């Protein structure tokens, strides 16, 4: 029998991994799990140089260990630390400016909207072999916007990306051992921007808006064409990294960008292929749904598999209404607003977490987290308030002793 | 001549409202041929922008229509302004100083707002991204603008926004300046916390809030 990892809190019955698996199935675990999706927050909190934190793996781990010790514990480790800018660019497909390179040492990395794809490239995508189209697209486009791949052909880019993924593997495996020894579960196996959203970023918002009015069908066809390959690559890499989850970013599919009809006809078919294939492989797709998704939710409910998917909301979708609409179909994840974590008081944060736990966490299927990533300048006391909230209000069982009663 | 102009305006507006971006330059040229002034051009654009705004608010249009409308306005405006000078334009509705405060380099939402506000008759002074507080204040003084629009997609701008508001007070400009913040990371609760006058997440709501301020002179936020 496999040895269970340590508990996060003494009162816990389940491990963090068991708790995570349980909420994905929409079951009621022992307690609401907590994910603190923090990355840029850590070096600001520890007052250490951002550029070193992002490039020195051992230093990164020491900084994170300090944050864990000071503010933790929590259930899910948010592993978004790439070994290189090339790996980051391969996954996100946006030009990124790096601290210590294009930016001052202590700035957070910033993405730049750069149009690197032409509308003829939709046709090119359709001519690629469906089985590898997502990977081919990424490898072909990287030299157009990523300095580390500049001037290279697809084969050379592949070689460089491959080597960096091997480095990522060794680095992550080592880190994961520490996080698991603390009782945390690792949140992400592989992560990448979904095809429809990648096109939106690659064309830039202006060109993509024109495409939506002038050649929408091509966008839909190319997105669907790449979906199977996206899923296969995600499954392969998640297995390699030893974590059965895929965080799929859909930054441009919300109603803050496109209409529900455009979502349904252009983005959703690909999303369906991706989520079904990942779920059939026994893995969990996490849809990172920034923006307002309210009008898309009913379509997602109709087409995406039940009790297999996590929907991350960032505060722009009403998570309480989302619970009513899709709470019996998807696990919800979120959504303490970034503004509250920076400008709000501990009391405000704790009260909001309490409401989330009571209403969105009712019956299970909920992970408490910030709306999107924890902002770099969040008040540390507010993160402690989130940790406190799951201890005070997060236990499901009536028999379970609570912090307030203790 | 007058009939020609009104016919050209009608064709221009039809082209605009059907998002025929490839024909908009030709239609702008026809406006020039028919003797349009810059003021006449802006008057022709305004009802189109209002119609698109209404449909956006009603949930019939989404961001792509706003973006394409903005691009069409920019194309037509370039064509018109390449021939006509600003002197013919009459007095603009009001001036807005706009920018992304220090700590953030996102410009997408800000630029969409800038074009839509310009097409709605405002004079825009777009200062770009990562802008220091002193630069905003300097521009407000220089132009006499009464509206300051601050765009924010990262919480790292909050401190800058506070500094801007403080500097406005120090310089005696706070009372006569309507400060509006916008962007994905902003929310209504920040009006009080950052000492600003209004907040929005969509361009048309922002334009309406500014219009409301200009019309009434009141800073009470319309929540």
């Amino acid at each position: 029998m496999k040895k269970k990892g340590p508990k996060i809190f003494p009162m816990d019955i389940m491990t963090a991994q068991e708790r995570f698996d349980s909420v994905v199935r929409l079951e009621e675990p022992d307690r609401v799990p907590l994910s603190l999706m923090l990355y840029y927050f850590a070096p600001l909190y520890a007052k250490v140089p951002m550029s070193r934190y992002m490039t020195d793996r051992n230093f990164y781990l020491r900084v994170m260990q300090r944050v864990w010790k000071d503010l933790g514990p929590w259930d899910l480790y948010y592993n978004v630390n790439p070994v290189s800018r090339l790996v980051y660019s391969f996954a996100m497909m946006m030009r990124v400016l790096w601290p210590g390179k294009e930016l001052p040492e202590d700035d957070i990395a910033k993405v730049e909207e750069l149009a690197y794809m032409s509308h003829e490239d939709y046709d090119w995508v359709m001519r690629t072999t469906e089985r590898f189209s997502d990977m081919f697209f990424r490898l072909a486009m990287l030299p157009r916007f990523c300095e580390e791949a500049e001037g290279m052909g697809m084969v050379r880019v592949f070689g460089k990306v491959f080597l960096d993924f091997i480095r990522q593997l060794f680095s992550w495996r080592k880190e994961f051992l520490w996080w698991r020894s603390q009782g945390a579960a690792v949140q992400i196996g592989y992560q990448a921007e979904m095809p429809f959203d990648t096109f939106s970023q690659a064309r830039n918002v202006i060109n993509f808006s024109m495409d939506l009015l002038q050649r929408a069908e091509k966008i839909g066809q190319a997105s669907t064409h790449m979906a199977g390959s996206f899923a296969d690559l995600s499954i392969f890499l998640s297995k390699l990294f030893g974590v059965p989850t895929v965080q799929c970013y859909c930054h441009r599919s919300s109603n803050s960008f496109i209409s529900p009809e455009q979502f349904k006809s252009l983005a959703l078919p690909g999303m369906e292929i991706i989520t079904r294939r990942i779920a059939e492989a026994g893995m969990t797709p996490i849809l990172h749904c920034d923006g307002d998704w309210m009008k898309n939710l009913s379509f997602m409910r109709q087409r995406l598999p039940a009790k297999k998917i996590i929907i991350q909301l960032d505060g722009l979708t009403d998570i309480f209404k989302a619970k009513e609409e899709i709470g019996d179909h998807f696990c919800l994840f979120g959504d303490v607003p970034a503004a509250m974590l920076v400008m709000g008081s501990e009391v405000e944060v704790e009260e909001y977490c309490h409401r989330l736990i009571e209403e969105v966490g009712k019956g299970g299927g909920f992970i408490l987290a910030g709306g999107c990533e924890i902002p770099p300048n969040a008040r540390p006391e507010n993160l402690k308030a989130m940790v406190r909230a799951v201890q005070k209000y997060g236990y499901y069982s009536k028999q379970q002793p609570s912090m307030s009663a203790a | 001549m007058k009939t020609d102009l009104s016919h050209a305006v009608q064709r221009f507006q039809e082209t605009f409202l059907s998002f025929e971006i490839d024909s908009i330059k030709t239609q702008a040229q026809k406006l020039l041929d028919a003797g349009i002034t810059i003021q006449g051009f802006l008057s022709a654009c305004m009802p189109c922008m209002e119609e698109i705004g209404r449909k956006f608010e009603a949930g019939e249009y989404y961001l792509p229509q706003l973006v394409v409308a903005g691009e069409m306005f920019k194309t037509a405006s370039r064509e018109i302004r390449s021939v006509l000078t600003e002197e013919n334009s009459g007095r603009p509705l009001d001036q807005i100083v706009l920018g992304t405060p220090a700590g953030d380099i996102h410009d997408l939402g800000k630029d969409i707002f800038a074009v839509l506000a310009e097409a709605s008759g405002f004079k825009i002074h777009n200062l770009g991204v990562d802008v220091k507080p002193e630069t905003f204040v300097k521009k407000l003084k220089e132009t006499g603008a009464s509206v300051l629009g601050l765009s924010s997609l990262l919480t790292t701008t909050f401190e800058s926004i506070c500094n801007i508001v403080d500097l406005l007070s120090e310089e005696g400009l706070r009372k006569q300046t309507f400060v509006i913040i916008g962007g994905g990371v902003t929310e209504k609760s920040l009006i009080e916390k950052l000492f600003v006058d209004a907040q929005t997440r969509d361009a048309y709501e922002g334009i309406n809030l500014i219009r409301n301020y200009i019309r009434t002179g009141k800073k009470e936020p319309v929540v």
Side-chain angles (χ1 to χ4, degrees):
Chain A
M1 196 175 146
K2 203 174 167 184
K3 197 183 163 218
K4 281 186 171 187
K7 306 271 179 0
I8 293 290
F9 299 120
M11 295 169 290
D12 289 350
I13 296 166
M14 293 174 155
T15 63
Q17 189 64 53
E18 288 168 340
R19 192 170 297 115
F20 176 82
D21 294 341
S22 159
V23 292
V24 172
R25 294 190 300 265
L26 306 190
E27 291 164 5
E28 203 177 81
D30 59 341
R31 165 178 65 74
V32 168
L34 173 65
S35 171
L36 288 189
M37 289 180 27
L38 57 88
Y39 181 59
Y40 295 116
F41 169 85
L44 259 75
Y45 170 77
K47 296 185 175 55
V48 296
M50 181 71 72
S51 56
R52 188 175 171 202
Y53 169 81
M54 289 179 69
T55 49
D56 180 338
R57 314 296 294 173
N58 293 326
F59 185 69
Y60 161 86
L61 188 56
R62 285 202 300 277
V63 173
M64 288 295 276
Q65 284 168 340
R66 184 178 153 194
V67 175
W68 171 268
K69 184 171 159 277
D70 290 357
L71 308 178
W74 58 91
D75 293 277
L76 299 170
Y77 164 52
Y78 174 63
N79 51 313
V80 290
N81 51 336
V83 291
S84 69
R85 179 154 67 172
L86 185 65
V87 165
Y88 181 98
S89 305
F90 181 85
M92 302 311 289
M93 295 302 283
M94 288 276 270
R95 181 173 151 76
V96 60
L97 309 177
W98 218 247
K101 285 196 171 178
E102 295 82 7
L103 300 172
E105 292 278 332
D106 286 323
D107 268 20
I108 61 170
K110 286 166 182 158
V111 290
E112 201 178 44
E113 181 103 350
L114 176 78
Y116 59 82
M117 174 186 168
S118 75
H119 69 78
E120 284 95 357
D121 289 325
Y122 295 120
D123 297 321
W124 177 83
V125 168
M126 294 305 292
R127 291 196 298 274
T128 57
T129 314
E130 199 171 337
R131 197 164 168 207
F132 299 108
S133 54
D134 178 73
M135 191 169 69
F136 283 169
F137 178 82
R138 287 170 197 271
L139 295 176
M141 295 294 149
L142 273 170
R144 298 188 190 178
F145 68 91
C146 176
E147 196 186 293
E148 284 74 8
E150 213 173 277
M152 292 183 190
M154 273 174 69
V155 176
R156 271 190 73 198
V157 178
F158 175 78
K160 216 171 168 191
V161 169
F162 179 79
L163 287 176
D164 276 4
F165 268 109
I166 297 297
R167 284 173 55 214
Q168 188 79 55
L169 172 67
F170 284 110
S171 167
W172 265 359
R173 286 285 175 122
K174 188 178 150 197
E175 277 170 33
F176 293 173
L177 281 176
W178 184 82
W179 287 97
R180 285 172 176 144
S181 74
Q182 304 303 304
V186 178
Q187 187 170 311
I188 302 168
Y190 175 67
Q191 56 195 309
E193 194 75 34
M194 304 255 275
F196 176 88
D197 309 85
T198 298
F199 291 148
S200 174
Q201 295 179 167
R203 290 281 290 143
N204 90 12
V205 164
I206 293 171
N207 295 325
F208 193 70
S209 295
M210 290 195 221
D211 291 348
L212 283 167
L213 299 187
Q214 294 176 337
R215 51 184 76 85
E217 209 171 286
K218 281 192 178 183
I219 302 174
Q221 285 167 351
S223 304
T224 310
H225 185 79
M226 275 172 38
S229 161
F230 178 98
D232 291 344
L233 184 65
S234 303
I235 293 164
F236 171 76
L237 287 169
S238 295
K239 278 185 184 165
L240 188 73
F241 294 128
V243 183
T245 52
V246 181
Q247 183 139 318
C248 308
Y249 295 96
C250 21
H251 287 108
R252 299 284 173 84
S253 301
S254 75
N255 308 130
S256 306
F257 280 90
I258 58 172
S259 72
E261 289 71 29
Q262 284 166 332
F263 171 72
K264 188 184 170 190
S265 61
L266 307 177
L268 186 59
M271 187 182 272
E272 182 176 8
I273 292 169
I274 289 166
T275 51
R276 284 197 185 278
R277 202 173 285 190
I278 292 171
E280 279 159 16
M283 297 185 173
T284 303
I286 304 174
L287 297 177
H288 185 83
C289 298
D290 279 354
D292 183 357
W293 282 73
M294 211 61 224
K295 294 177 185 169
N296 290 345
L297 297 182
S298 60
F299 299 128
M300 292 164 81
R301 186 192 170 88
Q302 285 164 22
R303 300 271 293 271
L304 307 186
K307 303 185 180 183
K308 304 277 186 196
I309 298 173
I310 296 172
I311 308 284
Q312 289 181 333
L313 300 174
D314 69 349
L316 297 184
T317 304
D318 185 334
I319 198 168
F320 302 99
K321 283 189 187 156
K323 174 72 175 180
E324 289 167 24
E325 192 149 343
I326 55 167
D328 61 343
H329 202 87
F330 302 118
C331 171
L332 296 178
F333 184 115
D335 75 340
V336 184
M340 187 184 283
L341 290 171
V342 176
M343 300 297 293
S345 66
E346 286 173 75
V347 175
E348 270 178 88
V349 172
E350 194 174 314
E351 278 174 4
Y352 187 73
C353 290
H354 188 187
R355 187 179 168 213
L356 283 171
I357 288 167
E358 291 293 326
E359 296 181 36
V360 188
K362 193 174 180 184
F366 173 61
I367 298 168
L368 178 68
C372 199
E373 201 170 287
I374 299 294
N377 54 342
R379 297 176 65 210
E381 319 70 283
N382 288 344
L383 303 190
K384 280 187 183 171
M386 291 175 74
V387 175
R388 204 163 50 240
V390 288
Q391 291 177 276
K392 276 171 85 170
Y393 313 112
Y395 286 96
Y396 282 99
S397 167
K398 294 272 183 262
Q399 285 76 42
Q400 193 72 38
S402 72
M403 272 284 282
S404 50
Chain B
M1 187 71 181
K2 205 172 178 183
T3 317
D4 283 353
L5 181 58
S6 78
H7 180 69
V9 167
Q10 192 189 339
R11 279 292 301 128
F12 174 82
Q13 289 176 329
E14 283 166 7
T15 304
F16 205 109
L17 289 171
S18 51
F19 299 102
E20 293 170 50
I21 193 162
D22 296 335
S23 311
I24 203 72
K25 198 172 167 184
T26 311
Q27 294 305 323
Q29 185 57 53
K30 285 183 179 169
L31 287 178
L32 282 171
D33 295 344
I36 195 99
T37 60
I38 288 189
Q39 185 59 47
F41 165 68
L42 289 173
S43 301
C45 289
M46 269 192 253
C48 298
M49 299 312 283
E50 279 167 15
E51 172 74 4
I52 291 165
R54 263 195 302 277
K55 290 189 172 178
F56 178 75
E57 299 289 321
E60 196 177 325
Y61 283 170
Y62 285 79
L63 191 68
Q65 283 89 355
L66 294 197
V67 170
V68 174
E71 285 305 297
M72 289 200 298
F73 172 77
K74 276 202 283 188
T75 305
S77 181
R78 259 198 308 271
E79 194 69 8
I80 301 284
R81 285 171 206 267
S82 68
V83 176
L84 301 178
T85 57
E86 202 69 37
E87 289 149 30
N88 304 353
S89 66
R91 188 183 167 277
L93 190 56
D94 210 325
Q95 301 189 77
I96 303 173
V97 171
L98 185 68
T100 305
D104 192 356
I105 60 162
H106 289 95
D107 57 6
L108 182 64
K110 169 182 67 62
D111 289 348
I112 291 170
F113 172 82
V115 176
L116 297 179
E118 195 185 343
S120 303
F122 290 92
K123 171 100 176 153
I124 304 296
H125 304 279
N126 190 341
L127 302 181
V129 298
D130 209 11
V131 181
K132 289 180 180 154
E134 309 83 63
T135 313
F136 282 114
V137 173
K138 191 177 163 205
K139 198 62 170 180
L140 284 165
K141 280 183 176 172
E142 195 181 295
T143 59
S146 61
V147 179
L148 175 62
L150 302 171
S151 171
S152 169
L153 208 72
L154 296 176
T155 54
T156 43
T157 58
F158 292 174
E159 196 182 334
S160 300
I161 293 171
C162 289
N163 292 338
I164 292 164
V165 172
D166 285 348
L167 195 58
L168 284 174
S169 302
E170 278 172 32
E171 298 286 331
L173 290 172
R174 182 65 191 93
K175 275 187 187 163
Q176 69 255 36
T177 309
F178 182 71
V179 183
I180 178 167
I181 57 170
V185 82
T186 68
E187 54 179 46
K188 296 287 178 212
S189 72
L190 292 175
I191 293 173
E192 254 179 54
K193 288 173 178 164
L194 297 176
F195 307 103
V196 297
D197 301 309
Q199 176 274 342
T200 185
R201 277 190 194 138
D202 85 62
Y204 271 102
E205 188 191 48
I207 290 168
N208 288 335
L209 288 166
I210 292 169
R211 277 195 179 131
N212 184 62
Y213 164 69
I214 288 166
R215 200 177 59 246
T216 63
K218 287 180 185 169
K219 284 187 173 180
E220 283 84 31
V222 183
V223 182

